[in-house]
Amino acid sequence: MSDTRRRVKVYTLNEDRQWDDRGTGHVSSTFVERLKGISLLVRAESDGSLLLESKISPNTAYQKQQDTLIVWSEADNYDLALSFQEKAGCDEIWEKICQVQGKDPALDITQDPIDESEEDHFEEIPETTHLVELPPCELSRLEEIADLVTSVLSSPIRREKLALALMSEGYIKKLLGLFRVCEDLENREVGCLEYDPALVQPKRHREFLTKTAKFKEVIPITDSELRQKIHQTYRVQYIQDIILPTPSVFEENFLSTLTSFIYFNKVEIVSMLQEDEKFLTEVFAQLTDEATDSKRRELVNFVKEFCAFSQTLQPQNRDAFYKTLANLGILPALEIVMGMDDLQVRAAAIDIFSYLVEFSPSMVREFVMQEQQQTEDDVLLINVVIKQMICDSDPELGGAVQLMGLLRTLIDPENMLASSNKTEKTEFLSFFYKYCMHVLTAPLLANTAHDKISKDQPEESTKINPVCPDNFQTAQLLALILELLTFCVEHHTYHIKTYIMNKDLLRRVLVLMNSKHTFLALCALRFMRRIIGLKDEYYNRYIIKGNLFEPVINALLDNGTRYNLLNSAITELFEFIKVEDIKSLIAHIVDNFYKALESIEYVQTFKGLKGRYEQEKDRQSQKLNRYRRDARSLDEDEELWFNDDDDEEDGEAVERRMEDDFPDSYEKYIEAKKGAANGANGANGSKSATIPPASPAPPPNNSSSSSVKTVALPVTPVVKTALVGLVDYPDDEDEEEEDEEEEQAPRKRPRLSS
């Protein structure tokens, strides 16, 4: 059926007690053979598929609300609702339901759910049964009235009949008149909402609703129906949240009825406000007006509550809602109010911003990229958000944590759109790293700017390095920034890699391994762990060249034998390198740090690294032997091949292959053997490996002093081959004695020096 009377939306109540939109279609009431009864059928208007098939059961309680809603429950806690486009269609289906159940269509509820114990007797009760007989509404009969109400609570049928009797006789108004008499006489034996006999003092609900709770109109609302709907919704919400006893006292169906009533009221309020363009235009005009200081807090709170109400809308309606706000200038307005001194205004603005980001991060990204063309970097919306995060005055950084989560959503590639003519990921990430990343990392770089320790300063004082933030709030902020940067490493690849290399960012981050706040040291370690987890050779070469394992190993040695989270995290880092067999890092660690680590035997990680190193060295030696020849046994053909300039391309190919096969860390091993064979010893007898020349010199013909082909030697420079020595300090013993007094577990180990 195509007429608008029968056009409905189908809703179901989910586990969170929120209504989910199941689709729009047209409803009909038809006899279904399979269900053996008259049923409600809803077919989707898009494709004719069946959205709903529900038999009208004689025992199901149907409710009509607000002239266009029919709500009922099926099975256990499965609530359904039909929202009609027109009242006429709702009335038509309601009459059909009442006809099947034999009820009067003038009622707004057919019946309550029936207990199993009463179900067998339901058919025996004739519909013409008289209503419950009510005693006269008099002061002397109050106890009798109370007993009557209590007696029907266990029976859904009797409860309904009592409700009908109360409605037909206007009994509630009579009771309210009697209540005032009792209140004047201070007769509190029978409680009524405020006067609970279990409480010493009465609850002042009326006083709160009439005097304390104020209806604030930042812009006058001229629509009387809208005003009435707002007042009604507030009071029903107050009844549900404050006045009603615990849910166990009531039927679950009753509470869901109240919830759905509030829900649909909020939908109507948002829709009516959204359609009043004059009202909303005036709200946003005053919100951004510099002369609006006295009202700005109320205006921001109104927009916040407006957005909160919008959460009741279905996705397609919510999309239209936020597009309306965007057209009215919600984002430029937030940019202004976020920078204001009023903490309450800023907090409300952050809440509004969170609604926008959670609904449509793409909308926010599109705005800031367009904004960049018209304004300076420091007033970009995202930079305003970052500065609010950095400058959060809350000791617990509650606002900063919220903003960090929003920034993470905005820079998450998983929710970025890609189409044939536009790639949001490429455009936005390029924008973010060009205009915003320096603002985000500024506190981190500022707190790690002077990481060089004076030569006159004892090495042990690095643990109290003044560069590392002792202030807990600053440490928390740096931890948040590191968490965001770690997310970038995992999801942004190229952009963050370029930034880390250009800013030498990992070195600066690892300065924080000296922080007295262990959580911050762990954040720094997690950042490095995520980088190593990518197993990217560009990152690996950067780490090796910068000798960036040293601060991590120093932290491990400083930690002593404490079996704590820092110890486990550092050990896991090296275990990962061992298990994944990252050869370049293994060689670097063993070459430079093994003597400092070999005494750690409570885990087999470091011995395992040495084992991997030895296996690889043996493998490379065996591979090298395939290319070895005794120079004296070279025949003429081989010598001609060696000296033939025409074979340069072949030689380069072999050299490239060999260069790939040999990591930098093994060059010194080969060079040392070659030097020993040639009798080349350092003038001072140093044991450090000789750095190979930039390009290998060809050996003389018939040379007998070298048995290794020059073409087989790799030519990449060795970054650092000498073993980092251990430093012994004269005051170690005194410090160890002091440490033993402070804590039972030994703490100090020799530190590494670069």
Side-chain angles (χ1 to χ4, degrees):
M1 185 174 290
S2 59
D3 66 288
T4 57
R5 289 182 307 142
R6 296 285 189 90
R7 191 167 185 263
V8 296
K9 279 186 177 295
V10 180
Y11 292 92
T12 59
L13 198 65
N14 61 30
E15 293 180 355
D16 298 325
R17 311 303 295 169
Q18 298 294 323
W19 289 100
D20 291 336
D21 187 350
R22 296 304 182 189
T24 302
H26 292 87
V27 64
S28 62
S29 55
T30 310
F31 183 84
V32 178
E33 180 65 30
R34 182 175 58 83
L35 299 178
K36 305 297 183 185
I38 301 294
S39 304
L40 297 177
L41 303 179
V42 180
R43 295 195 176 275
E45 64 179 0
S46 58
D47 57 7
S49 60
L50 195 62
L51 296 178
L52 175 69
E53 184 181 62
S54 174
K55 180 182 177 181
I56 302 175
S57 169
N59 301 332
T60 298
Y62 292 86
Q63 299 173 24
K64 186 170 71 167
Q65 301 177 7
Q66 305 178 44
D67 294 332
T68 56
L69 281 171
I70 297 177
V71 183
W72 73 98
S73 297
E74 288 189 0
D76 294 331
N77 297 325
Y78 183 64
D79 289 5
L80 290 160
L82 294 180
S83 177
F84 289 78
Q85 182 171 331
E86 294 185 6
K87 179 180 182 298
C90 183
D91 291 341
E92 184 180 339
I93 296 299
W94 181 250
E95 288 178 6
K96 190 65 177 179
I97 292 171
C98 292
Q99 179 184 342
V100 172
Q101 291 198 341
K103 299 293 183 180
D104 183 359
L107 300 175
D108 288 337
I109 180 171
T110 59
Q111 61 191 56
D112 280 345
I114 298 176
D115 295 336
E116 291 181 5
S117 59
E118 297 177 339
E119 192 169 358
D120 296 337
H121 306 288
F122 181 74
E123 298 298 335
E124 302 172 7
I125 302 175
E127 291 296 326
T128 56
T129 303
H130 293 294
L131 300 177
V132 174
E133 185 175 347
L134 296 170
C137 189
E138 300 173 356
L139 187 61
S140 59
R141 308 293 291 271
L142 272 178
E143 188 172 353
E144 184 181 346
I145 297 170
D147 291 341
L148 174 63
V149 173
T150 304
S151 67
V152 304
L153 290 178
S154 59
S155 168
I157 297 174
R158 297 189 65 197
R159 283 207 309 269
E160 181 182 349
K161 293 186 180 299
L162 175 61
L164 292 173
L166 292 171
M167 289 176 61
S168 64
E169 297 184 22
Y171 209 77
I172 299 296
K173 289 185 178 180
K174 296 177 184 177
L175 282 173
L176 288 174
L178 192 58
F179 171 77
R180 294 187 184 93
V181 173
C182 292
E183 191 171 37
D184 292 339
L185 296 174
E186 296 187 355
N187 181 353
R188 302 180 182 180
E189 293 182 7
V190 179
C192 177
L193 298 180
E194 289 188 341
Y195 294 96
D196 186 341
L199 300 176
V200 177
Q201 295 295 329
K203 297 283 188 180
R204 304 293 183 184
H205 299 307
R206 286 170 296 167
E207 182 180 335
F208 177 84
L209 289 170
T210 57
K211 297 180 180 179
T212 307
K214 299 294 183 183
F215 178 58
K216 297 180 180 179
E217 291 180 277
V218 290
I219 305 293
I221 297 175
T222 57
D223 188 332
S224 59
E225 184 183 353
L226 175 58
R227 289 170 61 92
Q228 188 274 334
K229 188 73 67 176
I230 292 172
H231 289 312
Q232 183 188 59
T233 304
Y234 179 82
R235 289 165 182 165
V236 174
Q237 188 84 59
Y238 184 86
I239 291 172
Q240 184 186 49
D241 296 342
I242 307 298
I243 296 180
L244 290 184
T246 57
S248 59
V249 176
F250 292 96
E251 294 285 342
E252 180 65 25
N253 189 58
F254 173 73
L255 293 178
S256 67
T257 300
L258 210 56
T259 300
S260 64
F261 180 85
I262 294 169
Y263 171 86
F264 289 111
N265 259 21
K266 288 182 177 180
V267 170
E268 282 196 51
I269 291 170
V270 173
S271 300
M272 294 170 76
L273 284 171
Q274 187 177 341
E275 292 167 3
D276 191 341
E277 293 184 5
K278 183 179 178 181
F279 176 84
L280 289 179
T281 301
E282 183 63 23
V283 167
F284 281 93
Q286 292 196 21
L287 186 62
T288 55
D289 190 342
E290 293 182 1
T292 318
D293 288 344
S294 59
K295 287 179 62 177
R296 186 167 281 111
R297 185 182 297 179
E298 286 75 18
L299 285 163
V300 174
N301 284 330
F302 166 78
V303 177
K304 173 186 169 182
E305 192 167 2
F306 192 31
C307 291
F309 270 44
S310 75
Q311 301 308 295
T312 60
L313 298 174
Q314 293 306 312
Q316 63 271 26
N317 297 331
R318 206 179 309 166
D319 184 55
F321 170 81
Y322 283 112
K323 283 181 180 177
T324 300
L325 291 187
N327 293 334
L328 289 167
I330 182 68
L331 289 168
L334 285 179
E335 199 168 65
I336 293 172
V337 296
M338 270 190 182
M340 294 184 172
D341 295 332
D342 191 320
L343 293 178
Q344 292 187 25
V345 168
R346 290 212 308 262
I350 290 171
D351 288 338
I352 297 168
F353 185 66
S354 69
Y355 284 123
L356 296 171
V357 172
E358 288 167 9
F359 176 73
S360 178
S362 291
M363 180 180 73
V364 179
R365 286 192 286 258
E366 183 179 0
F367 168 77
V368 296
M369 284 191 289
Q370 291 175 351
E371 180 191 28
Q372 182 272 322
Q373 302 169 6
Q374 306 165 2
T375 186
E376 297 179 2
D377 296 356
D378 59 344
V379 293
L380 291 172
L381 177 60
I382 291 191
N383 285 344
V384 171
V385 171
I386 293 173
K387 288 175 182 177
Q388 287 301 314
M389 184 182 87
I390 292 171
C391 301
D392 187 7
S393 58
D394 179 9
E396 297 299 324
L397 294 187
V401 171
Q402 183 182 5
L403 289 172
M404 191 276 290
L406 297 176
L407 284 171
R408 180 170 175 162
T409 300
L410 287 173
I411 64 175
D412 187 353
E414 295 298 321
N415 61 48
M416 293 183 185
L417 305 175
S419 61
S420 57
N421 59 350
K422 180 180 178 182
T423 304
E424 185 183 21
K425 177 179 177 181
T426 302
E427 291 183 4
F428 183 75
L429 290 183
S430 297
F431 159 83
F432 182 79
Y433 279 86
K434 183 176 181 180
Y435 297 105
C436 307
M437 182 58 95
H438 68 281
V439 182
L440 178 65
T441 57
L444 178 64
L445 298 177
N447 280 278
T448 57
H450 306 289
D451 57 340
K452 299 297 183 183
I453 303 167
S454 171
K455 293 181 179 179
D456 299 330
Q457 191 176 2
E459 180 74 14
E460 289 297 333
S461 65
T462 56
K463 199 59 183 175
I464 54 171
N465 186 348
V467 172
C468 293
D470 287 336
N471 180 280
F472 178 73
Q473 191 169 352
T474 304
Q476 275 189 307
L477 175 62
L478 295 186
L480 286 177
I481 294 172
L482 278 176
E483 185 177 340
L484 207 56
L485 291 174
T486 303
F487 177 84
C488 293
V489 167
E490 194 167 6
H491 293 86
H492 292 175
T493 59
Y494 165 75
H495 291 88
I496 189 65
K497 185 193 299 184
T498 303
Y499 191 84
I500 289 172
M501 301 294 188
N502 289 341
K503 298 291 185 182
D504 197 11
L505 190 63
L506 181 56
R507 179 185 302 279
R508 304 290 282 272
V509 168
L510 290 175
V511 170
L512 301 175
M513 293 295 296
N514 290 323
S515 174
K516 72 175 185 178
H517 301 286
T518 305
F519 71 87
L520 182 56
L522 286 166
C523 285
L525 182 66
R526 192 179 304 119
F527 181 69
M528 185 180 192
R529 171 65 177 81
R530 195 70 80 245
I531 289 174
I532 291 175
L534 297 176
K535 297 187 285 187
D536 185 320
E537 276 304 310
Y538 284 100
Y539 275 131
N540 293 345
R541 285 198 291 271
Y542 164 66
I543 291 170
I544 292 169
K545 183 177 180 180
N547 195 30
L548 298 181
F549 278 108
E550 182 176 327
V552 177
I553 292 174
N554 277 337
L556 177 65
L557 299 178
D558 276 342
N559 195 56
T561 58
R562 296 185 188 88
Y563 185 54
N564 55 14
L565 187 57
L566 182 63
N567 176 283
S568 299
I570 295 176
T571 303
E572 191 277 334
L573 172 69
F574 290 104
E575 183 69 21
F576 175 82
I577 294 171
K578 183 194 78 173
V579 170
E580 296 297 323
D581 196 17
I582 306 176
K583 294 179 175 55
S584 57
L585 296 184
I586 291 174
H588 173 72
I589 293 166
V590 174
D591 279 343
N592 293 281
F593 305 111
Y594 186 68
K595 285 191 176 180
L597 299 171
E598 63 181 344
S599 62
I600 299 177
E601 297 182 342
Y602 54 85
V603 290
Q604 297 302 306
T605 299
F606 302 106
K607 292 189 181 301
L609 284 172
K610 183 66 177 297
R612 293 270 190 184
Y613 174 82
E614 297 293 347
Q615 289 173 8
E616 180 64 14
K617 192 161 65 171
D618 291 343
R619 191 178 70 83
Q620 295 292 349
S621 296
Q622 293 172 9
K623 183 181 290 187
L624 185 63
N625 286 334
R626 294 202 296 269
Y627 295 94
R628 286 179 178 274
R629 295 289 187 274
D630 187 338
R632 289 170 296 185
S633 66
L634 291 176
D635 57 25
E636 292 181 1
D637 291 337
E638 288 175 316
E639 291 182 21
L640 288 172
W641 179 81
F642 252 54
N643 296 313
D644 191 350
D645 292 337
D646 294 334
D647 290 338
E648 285 182 2
E649 291 182 4
D650 292 339
E652 289 173 1
V654 173
E655 181 172 332
R656 282 196 300 271
R657 184 175 70 252
M658 293 300 295
E659 186 170 325
D660 291 339
D661 288 340
F662 286 88
D664 295 346
S665 53
Y666 297 112
E667 284 185 49
K668 67 181 184 68
Y669 171 75
I670 303 300
E671 283 296 306
K673 291 193 68 175
K674 178 182 175 184
N678 287 321
N681 294 319
N684 58 358
S686 172
K687 293 183 180 180
S688 61
T690 305
I691 297 178
S695 60
N701 289 338
N702 299 323
S703 170
S704 60
S705 61
S706 175
S707 61
V708 182
K709 290 183 179 181
T710 308
V711 73
L713 292 177
V715 297
T716 51
V718 174
V719 174
K720 182 171 182 179
T721 55
L723 183 66
V724 177
L726 299 178
V727 182
D728 189 17
Y729 299 105
D731 57 344
D732 274 357
E733 294 181 2
D734 296 337
E735 291 185 357
E736 288 175 0
E737 291 174 1
E738 292 174 5
D739 289 338
E740 288 174 0
E741 293 175 2
E742 293 176 1
E743 55 190 18
Q744 296 299 319
R747 179 172 181 271
K748 299 296 180 187
R749 292 193 183 198
R751 292 177 56 86
L752 296 164
S753 63
S754 53

